[in-house]
Amino acid sequence: MSVFIKGGTIVTAENSYRGDVYCEDGVIKAIGESLEVPSGAETVDAHGCYVMPGGIDPHTHMELPFMGTVASEDFFTGTSAALAGGTTMIIDFAIPSAGTSLISAYKQWSEWAQKSAADYSFHVAVTWWDESVAKEMEILTKDHGVNSFKHFMAYKGAMMCDDEVLINSFSKAGELGALSTVHAENGDLVVELQKRIFEQGITGPEGHPLSRPPAVEGEAANRAIRIAESLGVPLYVVHTSCIDALEAITRARLAGQRVYGEVLAQHLVIDDSVYRNKDWRSAAHHVMSPPFRSPEHQEALWKGLTSGMLQTTATDHCCFCTEQKEMGKDDFRKMPNGTGGVEDRMSVLWHHGVGTGRLTPSEFVAVTSANTAKIFNIYPRKGAVSVGADADLVVWDPAATRTISAETHHQNIDFNVYEGMEVTGNAATTVSRGKVVWTGGELRVTRGAGKYVDRPCFPAYYDAVAADNKGKTPTAVKRG
């Protein structure tokens, strides 16, 4: 199967230029002007459009068992919706219960993901610790293409890691050349604040952000960063939502520490007024962690993204329908945490980023695909428009407009947090593994067409190093 994308402006994270792209057998075979291609190729007219790497969403939760229910989006519906929005790969999370096998969780998620319409990979969560966990981390990195491990600092009594687990797991990941990632919220503080707020008679969705103020996130982000600094290992902080966490990341990066920050498209454009909506259903559908913040945090997050202090954008796509949200009707603590967004991330970021001058088209490519591919070691196979790269591409129409709505989206959820938002800039055609899967407003997806993507560990390993006698900050060193 071959696809010929003709007459567009190719945009990468580094530059832009006019050119055609020819794809065959799932990879990019040729790039140039006025290419001559074999007959029979499906031709996509890209005049007036940009040709960019397909988006990579580094943070999704398809069919996640969580808080007494299971996320409504499965790997087929979720990756199909992603393709409709121009995202051609997701990195999901295999999450073992405390005391259970990491490899068993990886295999379970792998089984669920067999139905994916687009490429996928997994972060594997570390939720407890003994020497068997260390051994399984090594097997996952060497035999299963896993190069990142997730640590929840929240959700006490379920998947929360204490500092001892963080120290052991960060150290092992560093030894393996893998990247540690953290959900930074102080779980002990959350439980205490939830109790106090509920006892005050605040039981609805408005209690959710009150129990998870910015300080709760900032403390955990700073603690995780300081632990990583002391051990001399790199760290990736997921869904940074507030000034407090951003300041911790910025301080570390300016000091030369290898820390990466991720921000959700939702946190950039939605503020905490949603929790005061008199429509309970709407307020409940915005319950996610970390919660939406007041407007000054949004402006800071945009500055963090444009300055390079935050490097990637994601969605934390974790869908729960209204009936599931009603599990917390009388107690916000029991409401499944999560929102959708995998279909709309690219359009929202283009409209509010490129459309406002905050981002250039090349910066848009960087924060929606290339940076993620580099951080998780799959570049230039992914995140690039180059000969030999996977033929995961989006033909982007910068003038196309649409109004986002649950009535028209492809996500398997009965609500959209962007409901009614009109965006300019949309995916005209999406190519996945060298096949046109979205064009003319129609999906042409195949169940199971997506493949697992191995992510090798980095060749430069990290050792923990102590401060020297002069009190200098520990630094990461390469093991030769």
Side-chain angles (χ1 to χ4, degrees):
M1 179 172 291
S2 56
V3 174
F4 179 44
I5 303 175
K6 181 179 181 180
T9 298
I10 297 167
V11 180
T12 70
E14 293 79 27
N15 57 15
S16 62
Y17 56 94
R18 293 297 298 274
D20 305 330
V21 181
Y22 175 65
C23 309
E24 185 177 288
D25 297 328
V27 299
I28 298 173
K29 292 288 188 178
I31 300 172
E33 291 192 75
S34 303
L35 288 179
E36 293 186 12
V37 299
S39 60
E42 181 173 1
T43 299
V44 176
D45 185 356
H47 286 87
C49 295
Y50 296 117
V51 181
M52 305 185 293
I56 305 171
D57 191 333
H59 192 155
T60 66
H61 295 286
M62 305 302 176
E63 54 195 280
L64 172 69
F66 187 51
M67 296 184 72
T69 186
V70 178
S72 61
E73 193 86 87
D74 70 23
F75 277 92
F76 176 62
T77 61
T79 53
S80 297
L83 291 169
T87 289
T88 54
M89 179 180 170
I90 63 168
I91 310 180
D92 210 87
F93 294 79
I95 307 175
S97 301
T100 64
S101 165
L102 276 65
I103 291 176
S104 294
Y106 169 85
K107 290 180 177 178
Q108 177 64 80
W109 260 261
S110 296
E111 181 181 330
W112 290 334
Q114 291 298 308
K115 63 178 80 73
S116 293
D119 284 1
Y120 60 94
S121 195
F122 296 117
H123 312 281
V124 177
V126 174
T127 55
W128 62 293
W129 190 262
D130 70 9
E131 282 308 306
S132 70
V133 175
K135 291 176 182 177
E136 290 198 330
M137 289 173 71
E138 187 167 349
I139 292 169
L140 286 165
T141 58
K142 292 182 176 179
D143 298 339
H144 298 289
V146 173
N147 72 2
S148 54
F149 293 94
K150 173 70 174 291
H151 306 81
F152 291 90
M153 300 174 76
Y155 305 119
K156 186 174 182 178
M159 56 187 73
M160 176 179 147
C161 295
D162 60 19
D163 287 357
E164 183 178 2
V165 174
L166 295 181
I167 291 166
N168 283 307
S169 183
F170 283 15
S171 297
K172 185 63 179 179
E175 176 188 329
L176 296 169
L179 181 61
S180 294
T181 81
V182 292
H183 170 139
E185 288 184 296
N186 185 315
D188 290 310
L189 265 176
V190 169
V191 169
E192 176 61 24
L193 293 174
Q194 285 178 328
K195 178 176 178 290
R196 293 184 184 188
I197 290 163
F198 188 79
E199 288 176 349
Q200 292 172 19
I202 302 173
T203 62
E206 69 277 11
H208 180 70
L210 296 175
S211 70
R212 304 175 109 98
V216 165
E217 183 182 346
E219 185 281 328
N222 189 67
R223 176 159 42 99
I225 289 168
R226 288 299 197 182
I227 290 172
E229 177 187 25
S230 298
L231 298 173
V233 298
L235 185 70
Y236 181 98
V237 182
V238 306
H239 50 42
T240 306
S241 76
C242 64
I243 293 170
D244 307 54
L246 176 60
E247 286 179 342
I249 293 169
T250 300
R251 175 202 58 76
R253 288 181 62 82
L254 291 176
Q257 189 177 349
R258 189 173 292 278
V259 177
Y260 304 105
E262 169 193 285
V263 63
L264 306 185
Q266 300 97 300
H267 281 138
L268 288 167
V269 299
I270 299 172
D271 65 46
D272 63 350
S273 63
V274 293
Y275 298 113
R276 298 185 290 277
N277 193 318
K278 293 182 180 180
D279 179 357
W280 181 91
R281 177 174 178 268
S282 178
H285 272 289
H286 287 86
V287 169
M288 65 177 297
S289 297
F292 294 104
R293 307 296 191 187
S294 51
E296 67 269 19
H297 294 281
Q298 294 173 293
E299 187 58 35
L301 292 173
W302 274 113
K303 290 178 180 178
L305 190 64
T306 58
S307 67
M309 293 299 122
L310 301 173
Q311 296 77 40
T312 64
T313 60
T315 61
D316 195 4
H317 184 82
C318 190
C319 294
F320 297 102
C321 293
T322 301
E323 183 178 356
Q324 294 171 292
K325 290 287 187 179
E326 287 176 345
M327 294 169 62
K329 181 73 174 179
D330 301 314
D331 186 345
F332 69 87
R333 299 172 297 180
K334 298 178 181 179
M335 189 175 296
N337 285 207
T339 67
V342 73
E343 183 173 353
D344 301 313
R345 175 183 66 121
M346 300 276 280
S347 290
V348 168
L349 286 165
W350 184 275
H351 181 88
H352 292 278
V354 180
T356 61
R358 290 184 172 114
L359 299 172
T360 67
S362 285
E363 289 171 336
F364 173 83
V365 170
V367 302
T368 57
S369 66
N371 288 351
T372 293
K374 292 174 182 178
I375 290 168
F376 293 104
N377 208 20
I378 50 174
Y379 184 88
R381 177 183 175 184
K382 303 289 188 183
V385 183
S386 59
V387 173
D390 285 358
D392 287 355
L393 301 163
V394 60
V395 177
W396 193 262
D397 186 345
T401 63
R402 68 183 174 99
T403 300
I404 299 174
S405 175
E407 294 183 1
T408 54
H409 72 202
H410 299 81
Q411 299 167 146
N412 189 30
I413 182 174
D414 59 354
F415 189 86
N416 194 305
V417 292
Y418 303 117
E419 186 70 36
M421 180 184 290
E422 184 172 300
V423 289
T424 299
N426 291 282
T429 300
T430 305
V431 176
S432 174
R433 302 187 70 83
K435 178 183 177 182
V436 174
V437 291
W438 167 261
T439 191
E442 295 185 1
L443 279 167
R444 294 161 46 177
V445 295
T446 301
R447 190 181 184 89
K451 304 300 180 185
Y452 178 76
V453 176
D454 281 325
R455 293 178 294 119
C457 289
F458 287 90
Y461 291 80
Y462 291 83
D463 280 322
V465 291
D468 64 20
N469 293 332
K470 296 181 181 179
K472 293 181 180 178
T473 301
T475 56
V477 295
K478 294 182 181 179
R479 184 192 302 161

